Amino acid sequence: MDSSPGSTPYSAPTGCPMRGERQTSLYGPEFASDPQRVYDAFRAHGLAAPIELAPGVEATLIVQHEAALRVLQNPSFFARDARRWAALREGRVPLDSPVLPMMAYRPNCLFTDGTEHLRLRKAVTESLGRLNTTRLSRDVERIADYLIDQFIERGSADLLGDYAKLLPLLLFNQLFGCPGDIGDRLTRSMSAIFDGEDVLRANAELTECLMELVALKRRQPGEDITSWLIQHPAGLRDEELKDQLVMLMGAGIEPERNLIANALLLMLSSDNGSGQRRGTGMLVEDALDDVLWNNPPIANYATHYPVQDIDLGGVTLKADTPVLISFAAANSDPALTDARQTLSKGAHLAWGAGPHVCPAKSPAQLIALTAIEKVLNSVPDLALAVHPSGVEWRPGPFHRAMVALPVVFSPAPARRTTAAPAAQSPIPSRSAAPDETPAAHYDHAEPQKKTKGWWSSFLDVFRV
């Protein structure tokens, strides 16, 4: 088989209508508007399809449930170490590609195999296991209260930009034990990486502030995940510590915000006439299950690299080429008819499967449940400001994420005084950038030598 530079990593079955055609782009608005149509077309012609994740970045997407499990559960044949990626090694992937922060190798448990993966994963899972669920719920509620206060007097908000996007960013600052300055930079750089904005600069800033955090926690340990990772018997080096923190944020921020926002959209949508359990009477737990089945927050990811050319159901997957799992397509596989009818929690792949299954499933569900209940109880007459069909979805190959979730409600007084920066003004009608306090958007605001970020502003209200 031809594995020379420029060859496709996917060999389509003879007679397939897609044979010889160019890869389907997964990063444009057309895919974002109706990804299920693309998955259905792929599945009609086999268990996998050639795709382009970004300009110049080719891969294969697994779209059938059984095939996805075969890849996820067979690490001997499908490795996670991105250093195997032939196209990247050979300079055929642009180094400023927006997908590299999500795909390039880091020495963390997401991109390692075998005994090294077990060592790193043990440090992560045992550190996460020290989280107190009561304290976690309280932290989520405090951050939620703070964010709700920023928009509750307006009578309108973007529940994505004003709430679901910021809550997990601020929560990880809390869980990592970040001081104000490091937390502000962490929030800014992670948001830029997820949004694909100047990713090289953002990645450099992320690395810098996390290394500062690790050095700080070695000197001054606390009751936080960073300190627990440092203290773990695995004896992680500073670089490894930094990259476990990156992995935790990557696995916990973008998916969490989409889980929260997508479930809120479902709960605020009127009955769609399909007979499914939808609408304002839906329980939060049912909405979360529905999203994990039908709109998983991370739709396509879990990059694997075949260790040799492998025949998978008549499709040849070439060695050292990226093979991604479409959790969204696997969940909608017609072969899962019975499981889908009952929305069986054990059948969907939103949390992954195999040795790399998500280690934070329970905390992630608790965070989303608490955040959704908090905003629905605090703003009981929330209503969508647009028809559900008018919601715009953010382009990108990995996520299922809205651009915004506009809502309206009856204005109410804020519950706390949010006077963090001295020059803070009333909240403007549009969402503030994740690294800025709302005052920064007013032309008449006093110039500041250093604009406070969201985490510094939160700490000024809730001293932790």
Side-chain angles (χ1 to χ4, degrees):
M1 298 194 180
D2 181 12
S3 58
S4 60
S7 64
T8 177
Y10 169 85
S11 179
T14 303
C16 170
M18 297 176 66
R19 186 176 179 89
E21 293 184 8
R22 58 174 299 179
Q23 291 81 4
T24 299
S25 163
L26 293 196
Y27 54 87
E30 183 177 350
F31 171 74
S33 66
D34 191 6
Q36 197 59 54
R37 177 188 60 80
V38 176
Y39 302 145
D40 289 342
F42 286 165
R43 196 185 300 108
H45 302 302
L47 56 81
I51 56 169
E52 189 178 49
L53 296 169
V57 183
E58 299 175 359
T60 300
L61 188 69
I62 304 294
V63 294
Q64 289 187 352
H65 189 273
E66 182 183 0
L69 284 176
R70 289 174 64 184
V71 173
L72 291 166
Q73 295 176 342
N74 285 280
S76 297
F77 295 102
F78 297 97
R80 296 295 294 266
D81 190 336
R83 289 174 295 186
R84 291 179 171 272
W85 188 359
L88 182 61
R89 290 198 316 263
E90 296 162 5
R92 292 185 281 121
V93 175
L95 293 181
D96 61 349
S97 173
V99 300
L100 276 188
M102 294 283 284
M103 295 182 66
Y105 172 80
R106 295 178 188 270
N108 63 37
C109 55
L110 188 64
F111 295 105
T112 50
D113 302 295
T115 56
E116 185 67 1
H117 169 251
L118 291 176
R119 180 180 76 93
L120 297 175
R121 185 178 174 91
K122 184 177 176 64
V124 169
T125 55
E126 292 184 357
S127 296
L128 289 174
R130 296 180 64 173
L131 288 173
N132 180 286
T133 56
T134 301
R135 175 184 168 186
L136 181 61
S137 294
R138 186 187 69 232
D139 289 341
V140 174
E141 289 180 348
R142 291 197 305 174
I143 294 169
D145 280 333
Y146 171 75
L147 295 174
I148 291 167
D149 267 0
Q150 308 303 310
F151 60 74
I152 196 167
E153 296 179 335
R154 295 207 308 262
S156 65
D158 166 16
L159 283 187
L160 179 70
D162 294 335
Y163 190 69
K165 181 177 182 177
L166 288 167
L167 189 145
L169 281 165
L170 299 183
L171 179 63
F172 269 89
N173 286 327
Q174 174 76 66
L175 296 178
F176 287 177
C178 290
D181 178 61
I182 291 178
D184 287 343
R185 290 153 56 206
L186 194 66
T187 302
R188 178 174 62 243
S189 57
M190 281 303 297
S191 181
I193 287 173
F194 282 128
D195 292 339
E197 299 174 356
D198 196 0
V199 293
L200 290 178
R201 181 204 58 78
N203 192 56
E205 181 177 47
L206 176 67
T207 297
E208 180 183 32
C209 65
L210 284 177
M211 292 301 282
E212 287 180 25
L213 178 63
V214 168
L216 173 65
K217 292 299 176 179
R218 284 200 184 276
R219 299 191 306 270
Q220 302 172 17
E223 289 298 306
D224 52 69
I225 290 175
T226 310
S227 300
W228 297 336
L229 283 169
I230 290 171
Q231 297 160 5
H232 193 273
L236 302 185
R237 304 183 303 274
D238 283 4
E239 188 75 11
E240 292 177 323
L241 287 163
K242 180 259 295 181
D243 283 299
Q244 305 325 299
L245 296 176
V246 171
M247 184 273 299
L248 285 170
M249 287 188 297
I253 292 177
E254 173 80 14
E256 193 71 49
R257 78 183 189 184
N258 297 337
L259 180 58
I260 293 169
N262 294 357
L264 281 168
L265 172 64
L266 180 59
M267 297 189 73
L268 296 175
S269 300
S270 59
D271 188 274
N272 65 357
S274 66
Q276 295 180 350
R277 300 171 301 158
R278 297 180 184 273
T280 55
M282 199 175 201
L283 296 175
V284 178
E285 293 89 344
D286 289 339
L288 291 173
D289 286 340
D290 192 301
V291 167
L292 291 169
W293 265 103
N294 299 313
N295 246 349
I298 296 299
N300 309 296
Y301 197 45
T303 309
H304 292 73
Y305 300 87
V307 300
Q308 61 191 46
D309 287 1
I310 293 174
D311 181 279
L312 188 68
V315 174
T316 299
L317 303 175
K318 294 188 177 181
D320 297 338
T321 61
V323 175
L324 276 70
I325 304 298
S326 178
F327 304 116
N331 286 354
S332 61
D333 189 335
L336 295 176
T337 301
D338 293 339
R340 285 189 55 78
Q341 285 178 347
T342 61
L343 294 187
S344 169
K345 296 180 182 179
H348 73 67
L349 294 181
W351 302 109
H356 288 271
V357 66
C358 177
K361 174 182 174 181
S362 294
Q365 290 178 306
L366 176 61
I367 293 165
L369 180 69
T370 305
I372 293 170
E373 288 182 340
K374 188 68 175 180
V375 73
L376 293 178
N377 291 333
S378 299
V379 194
D381 63 344
L382 274 176
L384 289 177
V386 297
H387 190 274
S389 63
V391 170
E392 184 180 355
W393 296 91
R394 178 159 56 93
F398 306 121
H399 54 247
R400 182 59 173 161
M402 288 175 279
V403 174
L405 181 58
V407 295
V408 292
F409 50 87
S410 300
R415 298 180 182 181
R416 293 179 180 269
T417 303
T418 55
Q424 180 157 342
S425 303
I427 309 301
S429 59
R430 72 180 183 89
S431 303
D435 62 319
E436 299 174 357
T437 52
H441 290 298
Y442 274 103
D443 293 336
H444 62 264
E446 293 288 335
Q448 299 181 58
K449 293 182 180 179
K450 185 176 183 179
T451 303
K452 275 184 175 287
W454 279 99
W455 184 237
S456 293
S457 301
F458 172 79
L459 290 179
D460 283 349
V461 178
F462 294 93
R463 290 295 176 183
V464 294

